[in-house]
Amino acid sequence: MAVRVVRLGTPRAAGEKLRVGTVRRPPRGVPKSEFSKRDFYDTWLPTVAPTQATMDIAHAAQTPKDWENFFRHYRREMKQPDAEHAIALLAAMSHVMDFSIGCYCEVEEHCHRHALRKLLQAAGAEVVDR
């Protein structure tokens, strides 16, 4: 059993079932009834998404120092009790079921899911590559 970190909206891997969207907002222009059918997500967990203020840092990032600033802000947000509990829950779930988490960003290294992967691993999650 394990959690897979994916880009939302990409085709599901063979055997990939439950997909959790760790984003602040639903996909634009997509009816709610189509989220799962279009491989976005089956359920939504914005608790582990960056705040808009932190996303603004990411959108302005251009240098490695800027990206580290984004990740530093995101990790700080994930130390809040609700986020810590959600990460602990996801880590525990990874030992009893297969599921995926993800975000829309094209480049994982410039996405909160890059840091979320590491936070899940630190919390004891079983994480697999796509």
Side-chain angles (χ1 to χ4, degrees):
M1 304 295 146
V3 60
R4 184 182 312 268
V5 181
V6 300
R7 179 177 182 207
L8 301 179
T10 60
R12 294 177 194 244
E16 184 181 344
K17 296 175 185 158
L18 179 69
R19 199 177 259 202
V20 179
T22 63
V23 291
R24 187 64 44 203
R25 292 186 171 78
R28 291 185 178 141
V30 179
K32 194 175 194 176
S33 62
E34 294 287 316
F35 290 175
S36 183
K37 293 176 189 170
R38 294 192 193 178
D39 292 326
F40 285 104
Y41 54 78
D42 304 304
T43 191
W44 186 31
L45 186 62
T47 307
V48 294
T51 63
Q52 186 60 53
T54 298
M55 284 306 304
D56 290 345
I57 295 169
H59 291 146
Q62 295 183 8
T63 67
K65 186 176 179 180
D66 294 338
W67 285 110
E68 184 48 44
N69 184 41
F70 161 69
F71 288 121
R72 185 173 41 257
H73 277 79
Y74 176 70
R75 287 189 300 268
R76 187 177 315 132
E77 290 175 351
M78 294 303 101
K79 289 181 180 177
Q80 296 300 311
D82 286 350
E84 280 189 331
H85 292 150
I87 289 169
L89 174 62
L90 292 170
M93 286 172 49
S94 75
H95 294 282
V96 297
M97 66 181 291
D98 291 326
F99 65 98
S100 300
I101 61 166
C103 180
Y104 312 119
C105 299
E106 186 174 348
V107 179
E108 182 176 329
E109 290 74 21
H110 291 167
C111 178
H112 79 279
R113 72 180 188 264
H114 180 69
L116 183 54
R117 174 191 298 272
K118 292 177 181 180
L119 291 169
L120 286 166
Q121 290 170 323
E126 183 68 34
V127 181
V128 295
D129 290 327
R130 191 156 185 20

